[in-house]
Amino acid sequence: MTLIATESLTKTYAGRVTALNDLTVAVEPGIVGLVGANGAGKSTLIKILLGLLAPTGGRVSVLGLDPTTDPAAVRARVGYMPEHDALPPDLSAAELVTHLGRISGLPRTVARERASEALRHVGLHEERHRAVGGYSTGMKQRVKLAQALVHDPDLLLLDEPTNGLDPAGRDAMLALIHRIGTEFGISVVVCSHLLGEVERICDTLVAIDGGRLLRADRISAMTTTTDVLAVEVSEGTDELAGRLAALDLPVTRDGRTLLVPLADEGTYDLILGAVAELDLPLHRLDQRRHRVAELFAAREPSHV
Amino acid sequence: MSEPTGVIHDIGYQRYTGPRLGRGHVFGALYLHGVRTAFGLGRSAKAKIFPWLVVGVLTVVAAGATAVRAQFGQVVMTYAQFADAMAWLVIFFVAVAAPELVSRDLRSGVLPLYFSRPLPRGDYALAKLAALVTALWLLLGGPQLLMFLGAAFSTGDGMRGVWNELLDLLPGLLYAGLWAVVFASIGLLVASLTGKRAFAAGGIVAVFLMTTPIVGTLSIMPSATVNQLAFLASPSTLVGAVGSWALGDLLVPEGQRGGTMPIGGFGPLYAVAAAVLVAGCVTLLLLRYRKVAAR
């Protein structure tokens, strides 16, 4: 079954701003990365999928249902995690998720049980009875994910789930999303403006730009064998780049991250040695597929 | 915490195959949550102070009136008069409860979590409105019931006395319902316009208090018709005028000082005006949430 299908989907606001332009795409169940720069139309697409916005033209189906004519049926089977702050500070996570479970149609006791289960799955245990206002950003993101899971949806729509998280928090969130997509049997659409992040966990990648489809494909069809190592240090990124270049490593920069092609196991040692010599605080060092970024690189720089 | 005595097995994620309740149940859940919120239940101790202070004052007044009546046989206030006399406290209750019900949700950004669920967007607003109406009605009706019980137990005419008392109570409860519907629909509409609770509370009090001087001005104009229509200008006098027309001497017993409101023959017009006001507020509230949901 097709997870999401759109056909010539168009949305213009007040007849002037075009958010989606003739978008035709079909994706299969699994973990889907929806990437695009800010303003590319990701949030508009999500709102149309949820039936909160009516498209100006074209057709759309989610889990085989039409959100423009039967939004309640779609929303009953979809969980949504919004990008922005969405939690009342004086409620506890357990109370909030239970309440929202009931709004999704769960009976009272079931809602309570599933709320604590969902919170356990996202890694919140005893702290779930404390007021959300005192939570860290990472914990708040987990609560937002738990409320999207509480009613056991068939599809999760996650809008920028790693927003505001530190590198360790981002990795944990991505690992959690990967686990939901593979072990829980729930399809996931992850929206992000960071390609490097979603490509690590997705089966399928959909890239949009200016409301148009750039490319949609299985990630296996896009990647190649060349992997890269992503290195992040809290400070002294320039020094490290210089040192690595001096070691004859073809290093490139991507924001705060340095990318080094992985030749063999020795590459790890060279990088770690350089970091240790310069006495820099290493934030992360991990392996990343390389080609996908390049596929979109030609179109992306104009938006960053 | 006790020492762990065994291995905790991760049973993994469980799919849910049980029943999913329909629109009515979801509406009911949101409604009950709203009624509880209005009285600060399930909230911090701070959120309980004001609602229960108002409940306390109203109960004390009702208990006092009942005691005086039982002791001296003198009716201090009728059921409907009780609602009139407590109107100012009800306004303050609305000014606290309505922002608690809707402004908080606007501010915290929780609305996308509601509207991404099967709940139709109109249902959210209507459930909140029904919750506020119920809270206000309980607030006014509860003490009236207390007055009734006091009167029923101290009546000298046996069952007949109780029956007569009940016939007085029922219109009083209906009148309390009118207060509740008018105040709740205006209060909730004002509160739904802003996410700042202080602004919402100020706005609600302003709508009720600032319109009173207009009534005062209109009622001293040199035209009998304008004077008789003056009470249209403020929600509280509007409700009072409808009460005067519909309840007559149940509201103000004959011979008592002040008498009913001088509305002339415009009673039906006042009733229509009240209905139009409520319908207008509800329509605007639904339109407002149409816009909010699409954001």
Side-chain angles (χ1 to χ4, degrees):
Chain A
M1 190 191 67
T2 309
L3 185 67
I4 294 167
T6 71
E7 206 180 300
S8 308
L9 194 66
T10 301
K11 175 71 192 176
T12 52
Y13 289 105
R16 292 192 307 271
V17 185
T18 302
L20 289 178
N21 194 348
D22 199 24
L23 184 76
T24 302
V25 67
V27 288
E28 298 297 309
I31 307 181
V32 182
L34 177 61
V35 263
N38 292 328
K42 301 183 302 269
S43 293
T44 300
L45 179 56
I46 286 208
K47 280 182 190 137
I48 291 176
L49 296 179
L50 283 166
L52 293 175
L53 274 183
T56 317
R59 272 201 297 274
V60 57
S61 89
V62 179
L63 300 162
L65 301 161
D66 186 343
T68 57
T69 55
D70 201 359
V74 173
R75 285 183 225 145
R77 296 179 56 194
V78 173
Y80 169 54
M81 172 177 174
E83 176 184 357
H84 300 289
D85 257 356
L87 306 173
D90 62 338
L91 283 184
S92 74
E95 285 170 324
L96 178 72
V97 177
T98 304
H99 175 60
L100 289 170
R102 295 199 67 196
I103 302 301
S104 281
L106 299 181
R108 187 195 303 261
T109 45
V110 176
R112 198 172 305 134
E113 283 165 21
R114 286 203 63 90
S116 49
E117 278 298 286
L119 286 163
R120 183 173 68 81
H121 283 300
V122 301
L124 288 173
H125 301 275
E126 291 312 313
E127 56 270 52
R128 69 176 190 269
H129 296 296
R130 293 210 320 259
V132 173
Y135 284 15
S136 67
T137 310
M139 286 161 79
K140 284 181 183 165
Q141 291 295 86
R142 284 161 190 266
V143 177
K144 276 158 67 179
L145 183 57
Q147 66 78 30
L149 265 181
V150 65
H151 53 293
D152 186 31
D154 295 314
L155 168 64
L156 275 183
L157 298 175
L158 312 179
D159 201 349
E160 302 278 359
T162 56
N163 239 9
L165 301 179
D166 58 21
R170 270 184 283 169
D171 288 347
M173 177 57 77
L174 291 172
L176 186 57
I177 294 168
H178 186 250
R179 202 170 142 236
I180 291 171
T182 50
E183 288 173 30
F184 293 13
I186 298 173
S187 287
V188 187
V189 171
V190 191
C191 271
S192 180
H193 62 281
L194 300 170
L195 174 63
E197 229 166 50
V198 289
E199 69 173 303
R200 287 196 275 157
I201 56 165
C202 292
D203 313 321
T204 310
L205 209 50
V206 175
I208 57 175
D209 183 36
R212 289 175 182 279
L213 183 70
L214 272 186
R215 173 146 189 201
D217 214 337
R218 306 286 299 179
I219 209 154
S220 50
M222 297 186 188
T223 47
T224 61
T225 49
T226 40
D227 281 358
V228 290
L229 286 175
V231 193
E232 244 177 68
V233 284
S234 309
E235 54 189 67
T237 309
D238 294 323
E239 289 172 60
L240 183 62
R243 175 63 64 102
L244 293 177
L247 289 168
D248 280 342
L249 291 171
V251 59
T252 51
R253 258 192 100 148
D254 175 23
R256 291 169 45 216
T257 312
L258 295 177
L259 301 173
V260 184
L262 179 62
D264 53 58
E265 288 302 308
T267 315
Y268 272 107
D269 298 336
L270 285 173
I271 293 172
L272 287 174
V275 171
E277 269 175 51
L278 291 169
D279 198 21
L280 296 173
L282 183 64
H283 230 111
R284 73 184 224 189
L285 171 64
D286 53 21
Q287 202 171 329
R288 183 190 274 196
R289 279 173 297 218
H290 183 44
R291 267 297 287 282
V292 184
E294 289 182 339
L295 282 176
F296 302 113
R299 300 287 293 269
E300 275 195 324
S302 57
H303 291 277
V304 288
Chain B
M1 244 167 129
S2 62
E3 285 294 309
T5 50
V7 186
I8 297 171
H9 293 283
D10 185 357
I11 50 170
Y13 184 77
Q14 306 280 303
R15 301 290 321 222
Y16 177 69
T17 50
R20 288 171 195 266
L21 306 174
R23 186 175 170 181
H25 283 94
V26 171
F27 188 92
L30 191 57
Y31 163 76
L32 274 180
H33 185 258
V35 176
R36 286 171 52 85
T37 305
F39 287 106
L41 299 173
R43 292 240 176 287
S44 63
K46 214 173 73 185
K48 291 186 181 69
I49 297 173
F50 188 81
W52 289 100
L53 188 72
V54 175
V55 171
V57 170
L58 262 66
T59 311
V60 167
V61 171
T66 310
V68 169
R69 186 174 171 186
Q71 208 67 31
F72 306 107
Q74 193 192 352
V75 180
V76 183
M77 51 174 82
T78 64
Y79 296 109
Q81 267 179 321
F82 175 79
D84 269 353
M86 294 299 129
W88 301 113
L89 271 173
V90 175
I91 290 173
F92 286 115
F93 186 88
V94 173
V96 171
E100 194 71 27
L101 283 169
V102 291
S103 304
R104 258 168 42 91
D105 285 0
L106 282 166
R107 174 118 178 132
S108 61
V110 77
L111 287 173
L113 304 187
Y114 280 109
F115 295 133
S116 60
R117 297 188 138 74
L119 175 82
R121 50 197 163 190
D123 282 17
Y124 171 86
L126 293 177
K128 295 279 184 179
L129 181 62
L132 187 56
V133 170
T134 308
L136 294 181
W137 188 72
L138 288 175
L139 188 69
L140 286 171
Q144 289 187 359
L145 192 65
L146 185 76
M147 289 163 70
F148 166 74
L149 291 177
F153 280 114
S154 60
T155 177
D157 308 334
M159 280 317 282
R160 179 157 194 85
V162 174
W163 177 249
N164 283 335
E165 200 60 38
L166 187 65
L167 290 183
D168 284 349
L169 171 69
L170 292 179
L173 289 178
L174 274 180
Y175 187 53
L178 179 66
W179 274 110
V181 170
V182 171
F183 277 40
S185 46
I186 297 174
L188 210 64
L189 175 64
V190 174
S192 74
L193 298 178
T194 171
K196 296 207 166 66
R197 270 184 283 174
F199 285 4
I204 292 166
V205 173
V207 166
F208 289 111
L209 295 194
M210 305 291 261
T211 48
T212 314
I214 304 177
V215 176
T217 311
L218 289 176
S219 56
I220 54 167
M221 297 282 267
S223 155
T225 314
V226 171
N227 294 351
Q228 287 169 353
L229 288 175
F231 306 108
L232 286 173
S234 171
S236 1
T237 51
L238 173 63
V239 173
V242 175
S244 290
W245 169 68
L247 302 176
D249 60 353
L250 271 176
L251 184 65
V252 182
E254 229 152 313
Q256 199 164 333
R257 213 158 53 85
T260 51
M261 283 175 158
I263 53 170
F266 291 113
L269 180 69
Y270 275 99
V272 171
V276 169
L277 176 67
V278 170
C281 285
V282 174
T283 311
L284 287 176
L285 187 68
L286 291 176
L287 286 176
R288 165 78 180 138
Y289 275 96
R290 238 187 150 124
K291 217 174 119 194
V292 172
R295 266 220 299 265

